[in-house]
Amino acid sequence: MPRLSVIVPCFKVQGFLRECLDSVLEQSFHDIEVIAVDDRSPDGSGAILDEYAARDPRVRVLHLPENVGLGRARNAALPYATGDFLLFLDSDDTLTPGALRAVADRLAETGDPDVLVFDYARTYWWGGTRRNALAEVLGATDGVFTAAERPEILDLLMVVWNKAYRRDFVEENGFRFPPGYYEDTPWTFPVLLSAGRIVTLDRICVNYRQRRQGSILSTTSRKHFDVHEQYKRVFAFVDAHPELAGWRPRLHRRMGEHCLDILAKPDRLPPAARAEFFRRTAELYRAFRPEGADPGDLRDLDVLAGSYASYRLREQAGRAGRAGGRQALRVRRAAARARRALTGLRGRRPLDEDLVLYSAASHQGLRGDPAAVYRAAREIAPRLRGVWVVRDAEVAAELPAGVDHVLLDSPEYLRLAARAKFFVNDVNWSGTLVKRPGSVHVHTHRGTPLKYVGADLLGKPGARLGLDVPQMLRRADRWDHSLVANRHSELVWERAYPCHFASARTGSPRNDVLVAGGPTDFRVRHGIPADHTVVLYAPTRRDYVRGGHVDRIDLARFAADLGEGHTLVVRLHPALATGPARGLGLAELHRRGIVVDATGEPHAEEVMLASDALVTDYSSIMFDYANLDRPIVVHADDWPTFTASRGAYLDITAEAPGHVSRSYRELAWLFASGGWRDEESARLRADFRSRFCEFDDGRAAERVVRTLLLGEAMPEPPGRVPGPAGARDLLAST
């Protein structure tokens, strides 16, 4: 008897079916059966199913004599399922790699609950990906619960395919799907309300395909009226189980929200049917309204108490308000630009010689080089007033006590930006900022460049997607000083940003702590034993896939292969921190203690200091990490593809800071054999450090403050190489 039964109903999906089945059968977890139901599909879906069944004994195909619809096709498969748990997968969707292993592990960890709820991501036909907006509900607890203990579980999308169900639980309660559209609704609500043991898995297990055409929900049809009958079934179930009567108010609200959402979608209902749909919704809403319902709880649904004409007027007013809001925002922004221009150009008030505005990582708080300069300035030149520009109140609340700050585009920001003498940033200031004569802009950058940047991206259309290079250069025209840590960076910045700044050989301020050493409580906060060897894995994003995330290695396997006495710490590229990348397994592996997820750590220096070795691909973190003089391994399994899509200023596989692996097998062998820290690794690292840590001497932040902010004389850092290193760059040949 298999552990998991995956039920896949099929109807007119021949273009997607192979991808769906491959995503199931190629999983690393093999203790499964697949029951595929050909719902009398008029295309080639049935033949594709037979083809897969002929070559894989785990696949069983049911050919129905007539088309019965999605719900009843699932019902047809249930008697044939023999697995401990049931999963339903729509045949145009796919499982993510490792999904079934994660599901099976979570089920075993929690003692076979009645229902396991996992996460999904919407994937769009044009290549975009968007994670479930309520993903935080899944990560709120590690334990077992009921819907009564965590009612917010009912706020998730009411679908059948983001859950695993204990088969005996389904059979004992006689759960089946009704006919019609929205058949998931009268299945999911009763299942969750009846379950005595529910658990969650904070991992994206399903790619929910948003089809451009052909899907049920995007079809304009009167069949969307079925939603009313489905909610009648939900309330009939509650009526048949008096112990569930307390759920009526919540279900009543969900019904109203769901129906109004359908009505608001322009592609669901025929125009001539919209008024009728509203009336039927209103009738249902009144019929199931709980006695003694608090009017305040239903305020945003009170439109159902009026007429369809009133609803239309409200909708039109809402659209006009939204359009007006967008226009008002454009007007406010234009006015702000005008105010800034007038303030800067008229120069009514002199510059404040002691005022420094700081920003980092697009106004995300004290980070990177600007933070190091800020701290040095407070110590060396306390007369300088440092003010941080942050993007919103949430970021402001995370600032350390006593840090002066303003919100971006606030009146106070506009006032200070008009008078500040100095601006220190690692990302370009917004295009609306007017540079006053006499002000000084210090651009710190965000590390030594390996990948193409600036004007060099003009020949890489994929990498510059959505990037306005001319605008970027106009903003770079405001720079007065460009900080560099080595002569390679100096050559790159002057080539990629053909502007009027001067290169400042200061070193990277944020690397001072790496050169001099400093405290970090990262290991303590994450419970890493003091005697463990910590391997930091820090991959970069890819420009050859939309969204930028590609899993290059199996993190759980790598952590296991490192063996006892090792801890694997993973830090994804900052651009991937808030997207779906962490939900594709990293968050779950972190919860289970298999790896430590350091993606959200604001200070990369603390993570580096806590580690003993770095594994990266093409991330600029390797140039910073080399200051620690600790082993580095470059995992370059897709180097040709990466360079073709993004471009690189040097061949990092030929001039690496340590050994290079071109497959996972080579990477695992380097650590198993000890090669990652052998004499050759040390020699390669020494050559790399002499070239790319050239100006990093532990005094970069002090140098910036004294020479660029205070105008004092201070010797340049001693170079570690006698002459320019540009001869080995690819700059001359690109």
Side-chain angles (χ1 to χ4, degrees), residues 687-707:
D687 290 345
F688 192 84
R689 290 181 68 238
S690 69
R691 182 179 178 192
F692 295 109
C693 303
E694 185 181 1
F695 304 140
D696 282 335
D697 63 349
R699 301 181 67 188
E702 176 190 1
R703 190 171 290 108
V704 171
V705 174
R706 293 194 185 280
T707 62

Side-chain angles (χ1 to χ4, degrees), residues 48-113:
I48 293 173
L49 294 179
D50 291 338
E51 173 193 330
Y52 274 77
R55 67 173 188 243
D56 195 319
R58 295 175 298 171
V59 179
R60 178 171 186 172
V61 180
L62 303 180
H63 293 283
L64 301 185
E66 60 179 355
N67 175 251
V68 297
L70 182 58
R72 288 191 285 183
R74 292 170 179 156
N75 291 341
L78 287 175
Y80 298 94
T82 61
D84 297 329
F85 282 84
L86 306 172
L87 288 89
F88 299 92
L89 181 66
D90 288 353
S91 47
D92 54 352
D93 296 338
T94 58
L95 295 180
T96 62
L100 294 185
R101 168 61 65 187
V103 167
D105 288 348
R106 183 66 170 144
L107 292 172
E109 177 187 25
T110 53
D112 285 8

Side-chain angles (χ1 to χ4, degrees), residues 14 63 153 284 288 300 321 362 386 555 596 709:
Q14 64 180 7
H63 293 283
I153 199 71
L284 205 64
F288 291 109
D300 55 342
S362 298
L555 297 177
V596 173
L709 303 188

Side-chain angles (χ1 to χ4, degrees), residues 452 456 491-492 495 648-650 726-734:
Y452 274 13
D456 289 329
L491 290 171
V492 170
R495 166 199 167 113
Y649 292 112
L650 58 109
R728 293 195 294 168
D729 277 299
L730 300 182
L731 292 173
S733 62
T734 54

Side-chain angles (χ1 to χ4, degrees), residues 349-365:
R349 302 181 65 185
L351 294 176
D352 185 338
E353 299 289 329
D354 295 331
L355 178 58
V356 188
L357 288 192
Y358 294 92
S359 180
S362 298
H363 316 297
Q364 294 189 62

Side-chain angles (χ1 to χ4, degrees), residues 562-592:
L562 287 174
E564 291 292 330
H566 293 75
T567 295
L568 178 61
V569 175
V570 181
R571 182 177 176 84
L572 301 181
H573 189 279
L576 304 175
T578 58
R582 295 166 79 180
L584 289 167
L586 179 55
E588 174 64 7
L589 292 176
H590 175 83
R591 185 194 65 79
R592 293 166 56 195

Side-chain angles (χ1 to χ4, degrees), residues 4 12 22 42 48 54 77 97 103 132 144 258 289 338 397 427 528 565 614 636-637 674 677 682 684 710 717 722:
L4 304 176
K12 294 178 67 174
D22 288 343
I48 293 173
V103 167
N132 164 29
V144 179
H258 192 174
R289 180 173 180 135
V427 180
I528 301 173
L614 171 69
D637 65 331
R677 54 182 175 184
L684 293 169
L710 300 179

Side-chain angles (χ1 to χ4, degrees), residues 162-334:
N162 69 337
K163 302 172 184 70
Y165 311 86
R166 188 166 57 83
R167 184 167 60 87
D168 289 345
F169 165 71
V170 171
E171 292 301 320
E172 289 164 5
N173 287 274
F175 294 125
R176 291 297 184 271
F177 293 92
Y181 277 19
Y182 302 98
E183 73 292 333
D184 287 8
T185 299
W187 166 284
T188 310
F189 279 119
V191 163
L192 290 178
L193 294 179
S194 302
R197 303 179 74 248
I198 303 172
V199 297
T200 58
L201 174 62
D202 184 14
R203 186 193 193 280
I204 297 172
C205 294
V206 173
N207 287 319
Y208 176 28
R209 190 188 302 271
Q210 307 296 289
R211 290 163 62 180
R212 189 166 181 266
Q213 59 182 5
S215 70
I216 292 176
L217 291 183
S218 65
T219 302
T220 302
S221 167
R222 284 186 60 89
K223 289 186 177 180
H224 291 283
F225 280 78
D226 285 357
V227 71
H228 299 134
E229 293 303 315
Q230 306 297 22
Y231 273 103
K232 289 179 182 178
R233 293 184 170 100
V234 172
F235 282 100
F237 180 85
V238 172
D239 290 342
H241 297 79
E243 70 277 9
L244 300 179
W247 288 102
R248 291 181 67 91
R250 196 178 193 98
L251 295 174
H252 178 253
R253 164 171 281 281
R254 286 299 310 274
M255 178 187 68
E257 292 171 342
H258 192 174
C259 293
L260 287 178
D261 181 66
I262 294 170
L263 187 59
K265 296 288 193 302
D267 59 349
R268 299 287 173 88
L269 296 161
R274 293 175 60 81
E276 180 186 354
F277 185 90
F278 176 87
R279 287 194 295 271
R280 290 196 185 182
T281 298
E283 291 171 0
L284 205 64
Y285 186 74
R286 290 192 295 269
F288 291 109
R289 180 173 180 135
E291 294 183 9
D294 185 352
D297 292 339
L298 304 175
R299 187 174 296 114
D300 55 342
L301 298 175
D302 61 1
V303 64
L304 290 171
S307 65
Y308 178 64
S310 299
Y311 165 79
R312 287 288 307 277
L313 288 174
R314 181 179 292 193
E315 284 295 290
Q316 291 168 1
R319 286 195 295 270
R322 290 189 291 273
R326 290 191 293 269
Q327 178 63 25
L329 180 60
R330 287 192 289 268
V331 170
R332 287 197 299 272
R333 287 176 174 170

